[in-house]
Amino acid sequence: MKYLTILLFIFNSSLSYSQESNSNKILSNANFQHLIKKDDVTVVLISSLTCGYCIKDINFNNNISKQFSDKNINFVMLLEEDLNFITREKGLKKISTNWLIVPNAHNVYKDFWELEMFPEVHVFKKGKKVTSFIDASEETKSNLVNYLKKIK
């Protein structure tokens, strides 16, 4: 019993440490809705930490959020998984701190999820979706980067 208590203490300590050591901002569904209604451009990535394409593209997504950090663009990642799963899988440590995270976001993206596949990127301005980039192909990623370069 003593060893079980020690293991549980170590496990709980590591979970709280991983949450505290990362400076990603966790958004609620309501805060997300408020954010996309602002005048700023918001890039919304619908993703999952259990999707092979999404995991493969974490570095790409981190790079674009850093590349365009000098522009007035918000980067929001809507994740299928809840915060406990994300923390357990160390998802927050993999995702750049430039991304705002909405966990357990299915109810948020169900209204604009086009092909119901991961990943999908949607760009919003003043609360309206202005364009979408759907699939993980190199061409689609290149089109997204070119689109973001044109934003002033």
Side-chain angles (χ1 to χ4, degrees), residues 19-82:
Q19 284 178 315
E20 292 169 8
S21 67
N22 190 284
S23 58
N24 290 88
K25 294 178 189 158
I26 306 298
L27 288 179
S28 68
N29 294 351
N31 287 341
F32 168 75
Q33 296 298 334
H34 175 72
L35 179 69
I36 65 170
K37 290 183 177 152
K38 294 169 67 178
D39 288 343
D40 303 344
V41 171
T42 302
V43 173
V44 178
L45 170 63
I46 301 173
S47 189
S48 171
L49 294 177
T50 60
C51 163
Y53 293 115
C54 300
I55 293 167
K56 180 179 161 255
D57 284 347
I58 286 177
N59 286 336
F60 168 79
N61 293 319
N62 288 343
N63 288 340
I64 64 164
S65 69
K66 290 174 186 169
Q67 180 181 351
F68 298 103
S69 64
D70 61 332
K71 293 192 173 206
N72 203 19
I73 301 174
N74 300 303
F75 290 90
V76 179
M77 189 176 296
L78 303 179
L79 288 172
E80 177 75 5
E81 297 81 18
D82 64 24

Side-chain angles (χ1 to χ4, degrees), residues 10-20 84 87-89:
I10 291 169
F11 179 72
N12 285 335
S13 298
S14 68
L15 279 181
S16 61
Y17 174 77
S18 65
Q19 284 178 315
E20 292 169 8
N84 289 331
T87 303
R88 186 175 68 244
E89 296 299 312

Side-chain angles (χ1 to χ4, degrees), residues 27-29 31-38 40-48 54 60-61 64-65 72-80 95 98-103 105-114 117-135 140 144 147-148 151:
L27 288 179
S28 68
N29 294 351
N31 287 341
F32 168 75
Q33 296 298 334
H34 175 72
L35 179 69
I36 65 170
K37 290 183 177 152
K38 294 169 67 178
D40 303 344
V41 171
T42 302
V43 173
V44 178
L45 170 63
I46 301 173
S47 189
S48 171
C54 300
F60 168 79
N61 293 319
I64 64 164
S65 69
N72 203 19
I73 301 174
N74 300 303
F75 290 90
V76 179
M77 189 176 296
L78 303 179
L79 288 172
E80 177 75 5
I95 300 166
N98 294 351
W99 286 93
L100 303 172
I101 309 291
V102 181
H106 183 75
N107 286 334
V108 175
Y109 61 73
K110 68 179 183 183
D111 295 333
F112 58 89
W113 201 20
E114 291 184 18
M117 60 183 258
F118 299 113
E120 287 188 12
V121 176
H122 303 279
V123 181
F124 288 83
K125 183 154 176 88
K126 295 183 182 180
K128 299 210 184 314
K129 183 170 63 168
V130 293
T131 192
S132 299
F133 300 90
I134 301 174
D135 76 41
T140 300
L144 171 61
Y147 180 84
L148 295 177
I151 294 174

